[in-house]
Amino acid sequence: MSAVAGERGPRVRMCRGCCCGTRRKHRDVDHDAIALALGEGLGDDAELLTVDCLWACDLSNVVVVNPSTTARSGGARPAWVREVNTVERARELAAWVRRGGPGVVPPPAALGEVHTAAGLRRVSNAGW
């Protein structure tokens, strides 16, 4: 936990409900290994939350990284990362969060284009 009172590190929301994170949609994806890689790799200040649906089903598996409270107060917005379907991609995401995440350090090129919620809606809204 962060040393500053009221400060919270990045929060990572991982979709694991209706279709993302399920074998029904992605039969060849090791969802448990992805969750483990994220959970173990985020660092002490970050928190991993599992949610039922993030409403971006066509871009699954979707993960949203909420900035730390300090980064958020500086203007950073939640970052939507799509297609987190491999352990390697989950590790890249976790390493970015461990370094500070949105508003602190740019996302690594390996994650491809990372969107805000508004930007993601422009990319695709099928199934929303």
Side-chain angles (χ1 to χ4, degrees), residues 82-98:
R82 56 190 187 178
E83 299 173 357
V84 182
N85 295 327
T86 65
V87 170
E88 293 77 23
R89 195 159 168 79
R91 287 183 181 141
E92 284 285 342
L93 177 59
W96 176 48
V97 171
R98 197 172 48 254

Side-chain angles (χ1 to χ4, degrees), residues 96 99 101-109 111 114:
W96 176 48
R99 290 190 309 269
V104 177
V105 294
L111 292 180
V114 174

Side-chain angles (χ1 to χ4, degrees), residues 29-71:
V29 172
D30 188 343
H31 302 285
D32 293 334
I34 289 169
L36 186 63
L38 279 173
E40 289 180 345
L42 292 176
D44 294 337
D45 286 345
E47 178 182 12
L48 178 63
L49 304 167
T50 301
V51 299
D52 284 335
C53 191
L54 291 168
W55 300 102
C57 305
D58 57 324
L59 304 174
S60 68
N61 287 334
V62 176
V63 174
V64 178
V65 182
N66 289 68
S68 68
T69 51
T70 300

